[in-house]
Amino acid sequence: ASPAGEMAVSSEKKVYEVVLKQAALVKRHLISIQKPDIVLPGNLLSEAYDRCGEVCAEYAKTFYLGTMLMTPDRRRAIWAIYVWCRRTDELVDGPNASHITPQALDRWEARLEDIFNGRPFDMLDAALSDTVSRFPVDIQPFRDMVEGMRMDLWKSRYNNFDELYLYCYYVAGTVGLMSVPIMGIAPESKATTESVYNAALALGIANQLTNILRDVGEDARRGRVYLPQDELAQAGLSDEDIFAGKVTDKWRIFMKKQIQRARKFFDEAEKGVTELSSASRWPVLASLLLYRKILDEIEANDYNNFTRRAYVSKPKKLLTLPIAYARSLV
């Protein structure tokens, strides 16, 4: 049974079609479009990858540390994908977000098509263009992430979990699908390729649900509520309660159920980590364990995610890394 339960069948079906396509690409070791090698003068391509690594090191320190265990090719490819995702997210969440229009996102998507066709616009695009020419990466998850950014321009409420699941796929589940071909599946794995992709998808969904639960107060101050409206109503809550920002017994009961759902997705994701190539397991498992701890911190804050931001302290992070490393070796 899916962690999303009966409600999300419709969205899950849509997403599963994408999963099957990605899995088929990896199994055939093909790429969706025959793309030419990227030729840049001198050492510019190497410099482009190095710059991607610098951005990853600056904004995702723990994950960057984990990537250093990967082979050089895989490491550089993950950096390139990370940077493209970050740039895409900043279109609607960055300093110029208020000026972003649907037309700007259309231009960004056209630029994405150029990347996959070997026509990068700048150095960072060149790194991704080279990556997708070397690994069986399909363009659809990248397009879907742009679609998630479009959704943020016009949608600030989600009627039910079915709608929220699709949004979580667009903005985070896509990252898992982009990454599996780079991370690689262990040669000794007996799991189906589809199941590994489903686990990667589950990790993206779990991470985004955790982001949503952590940022309830921050989103409310921007007039946004990323929580299923029908489930709020069932709990006797409304947007007004969220804007009021008071922790009540109703809120605690509601939050417990939301956290339980996110943990189910993390559990589903963890099953797939052991199927990844040995050098890729540690960064993925470290990310999973650290993100899951944010849910523990929300509970420790007595479910006050209105005025207190749940975060994992540096000592707890440092304790988690060796645990993740040891488990990645099993």
Side-chain angles (χ1 to χ4, degrees):
S2 160
E6 289 295 317
M7 276 189 305
V9 169
S10 173
S11 286
E12 282 191 350
K13 280 184 176 177
K14 292 177 190 173
V15 173
Y16 192 57
E17 289 175 5
V18 183
V19 167
L20 289 176
K21 185 178 178 186
Q22 313 311 301
L25 272 175
V26 169
K27 281 190 284 191
R28 294 199 310 268
H29 295 282
L30 296 173
I31 49 179
S32 57
I33 305 170
Q34 293 302 316
K35 298 174 283 285
D37 287 340
I38 307 305
V39 180
L40 292 178
N43 294 319
L44 281 183
L45 187 57
S46 178
E47 289 176 19
Y49 275 119
D50 288 345
R51 179 57 190 144
C52 289
E54 289 168 7
V55 173
C56 188
E58 182 177 354
Y59 294 102
K61 293 179 178 62
T62 303
F63 184 71
Y64 174 79
L65 180 64
T67 65
M68 299 308 288
L69 285 179
M70 297 178 181
T71 62
D73 279 357
R74 292 183 192 277
R75 177 193 314 154
R76 299 194 317 165
I78 284 294
W79 291 345
I81 288 175
Y82 171 83
V83 167
W84 184 86
C85 292
R86 181 170 183 82
R87 294 171 93 188
T88 302
D89 182 66
E90 284 191 342
L91 291 175
V92 297
D93 256 348
N96 297 315
S98 58
H99 303 294
I100 292 298
T101 63
Q103 291 72 31
L105 290 176
D106 290 345
R107 289 192 295 273
W108 186 250
E109 187 167 0
R111 184 164 155 178
L112 171 67
E113 300 281 346
D114 286 340
I115 287 171
F116 270 76
N117 284 303
R119 298 191 299 270
F121 179 76
D122 61 17
M123 275 180 65
L124 299 180
D125 284 359
L128 182 59
S129 199
D130 183 65
T131 288
V132 301
S133 74
R134 295 174 183 273
F135 291 89
V137 180
D138 186 59
I139 195 172
Q140 192 58 48
F142 294 83
R143 287 182 183 139
D144 287 344
M145 179 173 276
V146 178
E147 187 60 32
M149 301 305 119
R150 286 194 185 96
M151 195 177 285
D152 262 336
L153 292 184
W154 63 270
K155 193 173 178 70
S156 60
R157 299 292 186 281
Y158 292 82
N159 292 323
N160 48 48
F161 186 70
D162 182 49
E163 289 187 8
L164 187 62
Y165 177 91
L166 192 59
Y167 172 74
C168 289
Y169 159 68
Y170 281 152
V171 300
T174 48
V175 181
L177 302 191
M178 296 171 192
S179 303
V180 170
I182 313 301
M183 299 288 186
I185 298 173
E188 68 275 13
S189 173
K190 300 291 191 292
T192 64
T193 309
E194 290 87 347
S195 71
V196 178
Y197 266 96
N198 268 331
L201 171 65
L203 180 55
I205 301 290
N207 286 346
Q208 187 59 27
L209 289 175
T210 300
N211 285 342
I212 287 168
L213 297 179
R214 179 194 62 195
D215 297 340
V216 166
E218 183 181 321
D219 289 331
R221 287 186 284 278
R222 296 160 56 205
R224 294 181 171 275
V225 178
Y226 290 98
L227 297 166
Q229 292 288 313
D230 60 345
E231 294 178 26
L232 279 170
Q234 288 163 15
L237 297 164
S238 66
D239 289 355
E240 284 67 34
D241 293 298
I242 292 171
F243 295 142
K246 291 182 179 178
V247 179
T248 63
D249 286 341
K250 285 181 181 179
W251 180 250
R252 292 185 185 95
I253 292 168
F254 173 79
M255 280 300 302
K256 285 176 184 177
K257 290 180 179 178
Q258 302 301 310
I259 288 173
Q260 182 182 37
R261 172 189 282 146
R263 283 185 173 137
K264 285 181 179 178
F265 278 102
F266 276 122
D267 291 344
E268 187 70 22
E270 194 168 355
K271 295 174 189 174
V273 175
T274 53
E275 310 301 335
L276 296 174
S277 64
S278 57
S280 300
R281 288 175 201 155
W282 186 38
V284 177
L285 192 56
S287 169
L288 187 156
L289 296 179
L290 287 169
Y291 242 82
R292 188 158 57 188
K293 283 185 180 296
I294 294 173
L295 299 174
D296 301 340
E297 297 301 324
I298 294 173
E299 290 173 332
N301 288 343
D302 192 29
Y303 306 98
N304 180 6
N305 44 4
F306 298 116
T307 59
R308 296 184 67 183
R309 183 180 173 87
Y311 70 96
V312 181
S313 67
K314 194 169 184 180
K316 287 182 181 178
K317 283 183 178 180
L318 292 175
L319 282 172
T320 301
L321 290 177
I323 293 170
Y325 183 65
R327 287 173 60 177
S328 73
L329 299 176
V330 177

